[in-house]
Amino acid sequence: MGPVVFLMQSFFNLFFGTTFFSMFIHSLFLSLIICIIFYYFCRKEFDIFISFIFSVFLYISFQGLAFHPFYNHTTYFFLFLNIFLLLAYINKELPNYIFILSSILASLTFYTKQDIGSLHIILVFCYFIFNYKKQWKSILFLYIIPLSILVVGTYLILSSFTDFAYWFNLGQYPHNSRLSNLKDPLKILEILSSWEFYISLIFILFIFFIKYNKNKSIMSLFLIVSISGLVNRALTGATRQVSVITTIMLIFFIFLILKEEFTRIYEKNKIITRIILTLILLLSINPFPTYGLISYNYFSDSISHINKGCYKDAPMLNYDLEKLNEIKRIIEDNNKSFISISQYSFLYCDYKIEPPKNLPAYFDEGTSFYKVNV
């Protein structure tokens, strides 16, 4: 992880306070930006109804499922913005500013989450090489060099006068890099059972072996999104937010490739086509389990909500809330002083106390990144 998602959240905190509601507004803001831009591109290809349905389901599959910003979603926020930039000039010569903006967005992705950020950098570079190799000077001087300066320069500058190097590498909660997941038979089986994997293979064959391919650029964009999604799911795990976040964008690209056939069918029977498309999108992301869980969190008798502080209105199990209130009573009895809160780290915010900067953000029993043996 990197600092970008936290810096973005702090911006919203300035206007809405350090609250759970501020996180919701952050999520909503990112979702609306992505969906409005997506709707613009849909309208260039389809009518209002089709464009609206695509945009609504993109919202559901993106931040709309989470209701607060995860670093995975913020990573895709920057990736999707880059995809939209490239889509705006599909099958055209790219202006120089596109290369520069792509390098900036790729850098922001890297400093949001390193694995998908690295993939973003590599896959967009491959896109430029395969589709715009005649503009190699722009690729070199306006994408690669600025990107190197932004990524390496940011690290060196921040590390020279802050503890950024420590936090960026070791200051997170104890975890593996999860690269071993890519060799896990279950993860390999998960990738092999996904429909986008086989579509990606077909598109790769088309790109490499069919010389005159009018859909080459769209297929390339599909590959950027699908490969990022497949790798992220393998590294992150089968969380619903991650598993569906790329789905609507991928289906949209397939519809662009099949646009002539789709238009011909659509003109013959609009109502049935609309119903079938809506069912395809609905079944592809299946939002019911997620929204069911959210409903449960707000209406179940076993769950309460924090009534004050930085996480006001956040759901919590009754048992955990009792322990939280007990910790608060202990803190009050000790003149509001405390050390090393991990599971309830937001209490630092509630009591306006600076957390210990020289220690990791989390501590798990039996695992330690502390510089001394605690």
Side-chain angles (χ1 to χ4, degrees):
M1 291 170 59
V4 170
V5 67
F6 304 105
L7 292 173
M8 290 173 66
Q9 180 58 52
S10 68
F11 172 80
F12 286 89
N13 291 354
L14 290 175
F15 296 95
F16 301 100
T18 307
T19 65
F20 197 70
F21 176 74
S22 179
M23 296 179 71
F24 168 76
I25 295 298
H26 179 181
S27 172
L28 179 65
F29 184 75
L30 297 187
S31 301
L32 290 178
I33 289 177
I34 290 295
C35 292
I36 289 170
I37 297 174
F38 186 57
Y39 178 80
Y40 165 78
F41 283 102
C42 288
R43 283 294 290 126
K44 293 175 69 174
E45 309 293 340
F46 307 110
D47 65 17
I48 292 176
F49 180 86
I50 300 294
S51 302
F52 178 75
I53 289 297
F54 263 118
S55 302
V56 166
F57 279 99
L58 179 66
Y59 172 79
I60 294 173
S61 66
F62 194 62
Q63 302 265 20
L65 279 179
F67 288 107
H68 58 86
F70 289 127
Y71 47 81
N72 282 310
H73 294 77
T74 308
T75 300
Y76 280 106
F77 173 75
F78 295 120
L79 176 60
F80 285 173
L81 287 181
N82 214 344
I83 294 294
F84 292 146
L85 275 178
L86 301 176
L87 186 60
Y89 289 92
I90 204 79
N91 297 323
K92 301 176 184 176
E93 184 174 336
L94 290 181
N96 288 334
Y97 76 88
I98 294 295
F99 294 99
I100 297 173
L101 286 177
S102 289
S103 68
I104 294 171
L105 290 169
S107 302
L108 288 170
T109 309
F110 180 79
Y111 278 110
T112 301
K113 198 164 183 279
Q114 296 161 28
D115 47 9
I116 301 304
S118 301
L119 265 181
H120 185 166
I121 291 168
I122 294 169
L123 293 173
V124 170
F125 172 71
C126 292
Y127 176 86
F128 288 148
I129 292 296
F130 279 103
N131 295 282
Y132 298 96
K133 56 186 175 184
K134 292 182 180 179
Q135 295 182 256
W136 66 269
K137 289 184 179 179
S138 295
I139 297 172
L140 175 62
F141 293 106
L142 300 176
Y143 180 74
I144 296 176
I145 293 178
L147 187 59
S148 302
I149 293 172
L150 287 169
V151 171
V152 178
T154 299
Y155 186 86
L156 293 176
I157 291 171
L158 291 177
S159 299
S160 64
F161 61 88
T162 70
D163 292 328
F164 181 71
Y166 172 72
W167 283 98
F168 192 59
N169 292 291
L170 297 177
Q172 303 174 46
Y173 60 89
H175 70 292
N176 299 317
S177 66
R178 291 176 176 168
L179 291 177
S180 59
N181 283 8
L182 295 174
K183 297 183 290 185
D184 186 337
L186 290 177
K187 292 296 180 183
I188 294 173
L189 183 62
E190 182 182 332
I191 292 174
L192 292 177
S193 63
S194 61
W195 63 269
E196 56 261 49
F197 173 76
Y198 295 99
I199 300 294
S200 297
L201 286 181
I202 293 171
F203 285 175
I204 288 171
L205 292 174
F206 270 85
I207 289 171
F208 278 98
F209 297 107
I210 296 182
K211 189 172 183 181
Y212 300 104
N213 182 4
K214 65 177 182 178
N215 293 313
K216 179 180 176 182
S217 297
I218 296 292
M219 291 178 179
S220 301
L221 293 179
F222 181 98
L223 290 173
I224 292 175
V225 177
S226 64
I227 292 173
S228 298
L230 289 170
V231 172
N232 197 22
R233 281 154 58 181
L235 295 176
T236 305
T239 59
R240 286 201 52 75
Q241 284 79 16
V242 173
S243 64
V244 300
I245 199 167
T246 59
T247 301
I248 301 302
M249 192 75 75
L250 296 177
I251 294 175
F252 173 69
F253 288 140
I254 291 175
F255 270 71
L256 287 186
I257 292 171
L258 302 174
K259 182 185 172 183
E260 293 178 2
E261 290 77 5
F262 173 75
T263 303
R264 178 171 50 81
I265 296 171
Y266 184 62
E267 291 300 326
K268 289 183 178 179
N269 202 323
K270 290 187 177 182
I271 295 177
I272 292 179
T273 308
R274 287 174 176 179
I275 293 172
I276 292 174
L277 175 61
T278 303
L279 287 174
I280 289 173
L281 299 179
L282 182 63
L283 294 173
S284 297
I285 63 172
N286 188 15
F288 298 109
T290 300
Y291 281 104
L293 178 60
I294 291 170
S295 300
Y296 175 80
N297 285 342
Y298 278 90
F299 299 111
S300 171
D301 293 335
S302 63
I303 292 179
S304 301
H305 295 81
I306 299 174
N307 57 9
K308 62 180 180 178
C310 293
Y311 263 55
K312 185 176 182 294
D313 298 325
M316 182 175 272
L317 288 170
N318 293 334
Y319 174 82
D320 290 331
L321 189 58
E322 289 176 8
K323 297 302 178 185
L324 173 64
N325 291 331
E326 184 178 344
I327 288 173
K328 285 184 175 181
R329 284 193 293 271
I330 294 172
I331 291 172
E332 294 291 339
D333 292 342
N334 288 274
N335 298 318
K336 297 182 179 180
S337 62
F338 60 91
I339 60 170
S340 191
I341 301 296
S342 56
Q343 183 178 358
Y344 303 118
S345 58
F346 54 86
L347 287 173
Y348 287 114
C349 170
D350 283 358
Y351 289 96
K352 296 180 173 57
I353 295 174
E354 286 286 324
K357 294 286 194 305
N358 59 330
L359 299 177
Y362 290 83
F363 177 81
D364 289 346
E365 186 177 355
T367 309
S368 175
F369 282 140
Y370 286 96
K371 295 178 180 178
V372 294
N373 185 10
V374 181

